[in-house]
Amino acid sequence: MRVLPWLVLLLVGAASCRHAATPHEPADMRAALPMDIHSYAEPDHVRVTHVGLDLSVDFSQKTLSGSARLRCSRERGDRVLVVDTQDLVVQEVVGADGKARKFTVGAADPKLGAPLRIELSGGEQEVLVRYHTTENAGALQWLTPEQTSGRRFPFLFTQGQSIFTRSWIPLQDSPGVRITFDASVRVAPTAATPDPTALTVVMAAEQLGRGADGAFRFRFDKPIPPYLLALACGELKFAPISARCGVWAEPSVVEGAARELEDTEAMIAAAEKLYGPYRWGRYDLLVLPPAFPLGGMENPCLTFATPTILAGDKSLVALIAHELAHSWSGNLVTNATWRDFWLNEGFTVYLEARIMEEVFGVARAEMEKQLALAELERELSELPPADQVLYIDLAGRHPDDGFSTVPYEKGALFLRRIEQITGRTEFDRFLRSWFSGHAFRSVHTEEFVSFLRRELLDQKPGRAEAIDLDLWLHKPGLPSDAPRAASDALQRVDRELAAWQAGKPAAQLATAGWTTQQWVHLIESLPATIDPTRMAELDQAFRFTQSGNCEIACPWLRRAVERGYSAADARLEEFLISVGRRKFLKPLYTELAKSESGRARARAIYQKARSRYHPMCVTTIDKIVL
Ligand code: BES
Ligand code: ZN
């Protein structure tokens, strides 16, 4: 269902000045913009605006415990504050007068958790919730010392996106409800961490340092959606890259990481040139242990990243360009609901390629675009039609169930198609005004469509007819006008592969100076029926099985499983046990699960590895192998 552009304008206006309108009117009108079906909160009645955290990290119990002070704005007459929780134990709620407030925790839904309803008294604007997390907390991953490179201290990190922040903080966990926050976090002296001073707590926030009481203090005065609240704790050191940018990582990793990621400052400068000033102060990176389930997470001021991007040759830094780009698309202008996720990720993939082009040149950007398109086409051929749609219907589902390359790559292609129609200069201006005009706001797809029509498509005759918005946003598949990338470097790979298939020995192929992306393309393009002896020949020449570059090892190992190339068996097991990034685990377990014997192997490996994986990977892999 589409909302008429004029209606959207009216709604946006009404939403931002609703205090001036009559009581029943604004709610009726706002109701026309889709609600966030993944939150119990009722922010139109009582809205949380600031959260004050006071937490203690207990590595023995694997809990966070303490309190969250919730500051609210409320409509007159509304007395019930509703916040989201998941697997939290709420001990008590107290008002500013120190007296208990009545609260109830509703029935828990396996996907959404449970609503916490708090009865506010009088005109009060602030309550304190005392609580602790439980071992099921979906946002928390507790690593044993063996899962770190230092092997001496445990490690903890949070991952809030999409709806997991509610499993460590009781708050209105909807991307449409922005909050500021402050926090005080200490590590409890327990058997697991007898000397807490060895550990550092970092948050995606302004770091105010460690107090005399040993607690780390943080503050963030820019309003962010709750999924961006993030914390990590472990043996961490910092290495600077530039005046406003540096790397946090374990001591043995941090120097190498800073070298590998030294182009980050150039990326920030490129992004600013394209899309306006970086608005968040510092831009630091936290390189996590290999159990981190994601490639990267754009936590504000402090991107969390997998160590698997440290290939030694800077070939995988597009991931940093991506997370950095979220400082505009996502963190500054945020999807209002998870249906609008493509507004975050599609825009970000588009920006990522632009930043890569600025810093590393067109050839590199085109190569990465072509590989991404191939990936999208592979995934489109397997996804059910409903999941191929940009403006996805998530009714009855967890936001992450709709996760695929579709919001990313199809979203980016949609923007590139618009760029083709208007030309780059005008499209760049359009994006700058989209970001500045919606800064620190959360936006719906309908709002983007109306802005697009008004600012670009209706500006010149013929433009609106040049693109079928309904097809791009609401229909499965890839529209035929999707721009195609063409990479010379990848064409050279095609030629060498053809020569090899025609009989030229692998060792004699012209591969000098090939980049990671070229190797990936070679492996992905191998004939479906390739013989294990032919794989052995490639392996001997290029050492794919032993590659320390996960982007190369993963597709190679998947092939090895598919084609029964058993020389890679041991490496596969080692890989699945040491790496926790879902992007790599999922295809490998999926491939294994295709045969009876493979499934048995998958189960045996998974039995050893499961307790080391992040909850989000456990959910994914359980479905594949159990
Ligand atoms: N915001 C995402 C990660 C995410 C998405 C977490 C949805 C939870 C739910 C992040 O920006 C991202 O897209 N990371 C990618 C890497 C990127 C280069 C495509 C990843 O982790 O693979
Ligand atoms: Zn992203």
Side-chain angles (χ1 to χ4, degrees):
M1 205 181 58
R2 299 238 302 283
V3 180
L4 295 170
W6 61 265
L7 181 58
V8 170
L9 284 178
L10 211 68
L11 291 170
V12 173
S16 53
C17 59
R18 62 177 183 272
H19 297 287
T22 55
H24 61 277
E25 213 176 45
D28 288 353
M29 293 201 294
R30 278 198 309 276
L33 276 177
M35 301 237 318
D36 180 4
I37 59 169
H38 295 107
S39 169
Y40 293 105
E42 296 169 0
D44 290 342
H45 295 280
V46 184
R47 176 179 291 254
V48 174
T49 58
H50 181 91
V51 176
L53 293 172
D54 188 352
L55 293 175
S56 168
V57 182
D58 184 328
F59 276 102
S60 290
Q61 302 280 332
K62 298 189 177 152
T63 58
L64 298 178
S65 64
S67 62
R69 208 163 17 87
L70 305 177
R71 195 182 302 154
C72 324
S73 75
R74 48 196 282 208
E75 296 295 320
R76 205 174 346 170
D78 284 323
R79 296 185 74 119
V80 181
L81 163 64
V82 187
V83 300
D84 295 292
T85 71
Q86 186 155 40
D87 297 309
L88 291 182
V89 176
V90 178
Q91 292 148 323
E92 65 170 341
V93 180
V94 294
D97 55 7
K99 295 206 177 109
R101 295 287 175 267
K102 274 194 196 150
F103 70 90
T104 55
V105 178
D109 174 273
K111 295 189 203 74
L112 305 180
L116 164 62
R117 297 195 173 82
I118 299 169
E119 280 182 38
L120 302 174
S121 78
E124 94 183 327
Q125 308 259 316
E126 202 170 289
V127 285
L128 185 95
V129 182
R130 276 192 230 288
Y131 71 99
H132 65 80
T133 64
T134 57
E135 62 176 340
N136 297 328
L140 306 180
Q141 189 174 10
W142 301 88
L143 306 183
T144 63
E146 294 69 42
Q147 288 179 278
T148 69
S149 64
R151 306 182 75 89
R152 289 176 56 210
F153 301 98
F155 198 104
L156 164 71
F157 64 86
T158 67
Q159 166 56 38
Q161 200 179 13
S162 53
I163 55 170
F164 296 106
T165 301
R166 64 189 68 177
S167 77
W168 72 286
I169 307 172
L171 45 55
Q172 296 185 318
D173 196 6
S174 168
V177 182
R178 286 177 177 267
I179 48 165
T180 53
F181 70 93
D182 62 85
S184 171
V185 185
R186 83 204 67 229
V187 180
T190 66
T193 50
D195 175 19
T197 62
L199 300 179
T200 299
V201 180
V202 291
M203 283 190 83
E206 191 187 335
Q207 329 260 338
L208 302 179
R210 190 176 219 165
D213 58 354
F216 291 84
R217 294 209 158 71
F218 308 92
R219 174 173 64 201
F220 211 49
D221 57 12
K222 298 176 182 67
I224 53 161
Y227 73 85
L228 291 176
L229 266 161
L231 173 154
C233 175
E235 190 192 8
L236 291 171
K237 288 275 170 297
F238 179 79
I241 289 176
S242 73
R244 59 172 162 178
C245 168
V247 183
W248 288 96
E250 286 194 70
S252 66
V253 177
V254 73
E255 294 301 335
R259 240 173 295 125
E260 184 93 13
L261 306 175
E262 69 189 1
D263 294 321
T264 305
E265 174 57 40
M267 290 183 179
I268 306 172
E272 288 191 303
K273 182 177 130 198
L274 290 167
Y275 304 113
Y278 176 77
R279 308 244 211 149
W280 305 89
R282 294 195 60 82
Y283 182 73
D284 292 322
L285 304 156
L286 170 67
V287 175
L288 289 124
F292 187 57
L294 297 167
M297 179 63 214
E298 65 272 26
N299 299 316
C301 301
L302 186 65
T303 281
F304 284 22
T306 171
T308 62
I309 56 165
L310 306 177
D313 60 2
K314 299 185 181 178
S315 64
L316 304 179
V317 296
L319 184 132
I320 302 300
H322 179 99
E323 304 312 336
L324 169 67
H326 275 302
S327 307
W328 288 263
S329 48
N331 300 4
L332 200 56
V333 183
T334 308
N335 50 213
T337 77
W338 296 110
R339 290 195 71 176
D340 308 298
F341 183 58
W342 79 272
L343 286 176
N344 270 16
E345 297 299 343
F347 273 65
T348 297
V349 170
Y350 174 87
L351 264 59
E352 168 195 338
R354 294 296 303 278
I355 296 169
M356 290 304 287
E357 193 179 313
E358 283 290 321
V359 180
F360 300 98
V362 179
R364 166 90 174 257
E366 286 298 302
M367 192 160 62
E368 293 182 331
K369 277 186 217 169
Q370 190 184 319
L371 286 178
L373 177 62
E375 177 84 38
L376 173 65
E377 285 178 326
R378 264 195 299 279
E379 201 162 12
L380 284 174
S381 73
E382 290 165 6
L383 281 175
D387 286 356
Q388 301 179 16
V389 170
L390 277 185
Y391 190 45
I392 191 171
D393 183 3
L394 292 170
R397 303 170 79 189
H398 192 284
D400 296 351
D401 291 349
F403 185 86
S404 74
T405 53
V406 170
Y408 287 76
E409 301 301 335
K410 187 176 170 182
L413 288 166
F414 176 39
L415 297 185
R416 285 186 203 128
R417 173 66 194 129
I418 301 167
E419 182 200 315
Q420 262 182 356
I421 295 168
T422 66
R424 192 166 261 196
T425 311
E426 206 178 327
F427 191 64
D428 284 354
R429 202 182 314 126
F430 166 80
L431 283 183
R432 276 194 295 274
S433 82
W434 170 251
F435 294 135
S436 63
H438 300 83
F440 300 108
R441 299 240 324 259
S442 302
V443 289
H444 294 264
T445 297
E446 288 86 345
E447 292 169 87
F448 173 69
V449 169
S450 106
F451 188 81
L452 171 68
R453 286 216 168 96
R454 193 179 69 230
E455 300 294 322
L456 276 187
L457 300 183
D458 295 344
Q459 291 290 325
K460 283 202 183 141
R463 273 189 183 169
E465 294 71 39
I467 185 160
D468 186 340
L469 296 180
D470 185 51
L471 184 66
W472 273 99
L473 289 167
H474 304 286
K475 297 286 187 307
L478 190 60
S480 57
D481 59 347
R484 306 254 138 201
S487 159
D488 293 342
L490 296 186
Q491 268 176 24
R492 287 201 292 282
V493 175
D494 294 334
R495 283 200 294 276
E496 291 308 308
L497 180 58
W500 179 65
Q501 286 183 274
K504 193 172 177 184
Q508 286 171 28
L509 298 180
T511 61
W514 274 17
T515 61
T516 299
Q517 288 72 22
Q518 287 173 297
W519 291 113
V520 169
H521 184 59
L522 177 82
I523 294 166
E524 295 286 10
S525 310
L526 292 175
T529 55
I530 186 172
D531 200 85
T533 57
R534 293 286 274 164
M535 288 189 73
E537 188 200 339
L538 290 173
D539 210 5
Q540 197 163 25
F542 307 124
R543 305 256 152 248
F544 291 141
T545 300
Q546 294 313 323
S547 174
N549 185 326
C550 295
E551 293 289 346
I552 292 173
C554 177
W556 176 255
L557 293 171
R558 192 183 64 72
R559 284 273 164 174
V561 174
E562 185 183 30
R563 303 305 305 151
Y565 175 59
S566 54
D569 284 1
R571 169 73 173 127
L572 174 69
E573 173 157 350
E574 180 217 342
F575 188 94
L576 289 173
I577 286 175
S578 58
V579 177
R581 187 173 169 190
R582 183 170 58 174
K583 171 183 165 183
F584 299 135
L585 301 182
K586 194 176 167 191
L588 292 173
Y589 279 109
T590 303
E591 197 58 54
L592 281 167
K594 284 182 184 165
S595 74
E596 263 318 303
S597 63
R599 184 178 283 264
R601 263 176 79 205
R603 287 211 180 115
I605 298 171
Y606 191 42
Q607 206 171 17
K608 293 185 221 168
R610 191 173 184 273
S611 67
R612 304 163 137 254
Y613 291 160
H614 188 278
M616 92 171 45
C617 296
V618 169
T619 307
T620 306
I621 310 300
D622 275 1
K623 284 190 204 136
I624 297 170
V625 303
L626 297 187

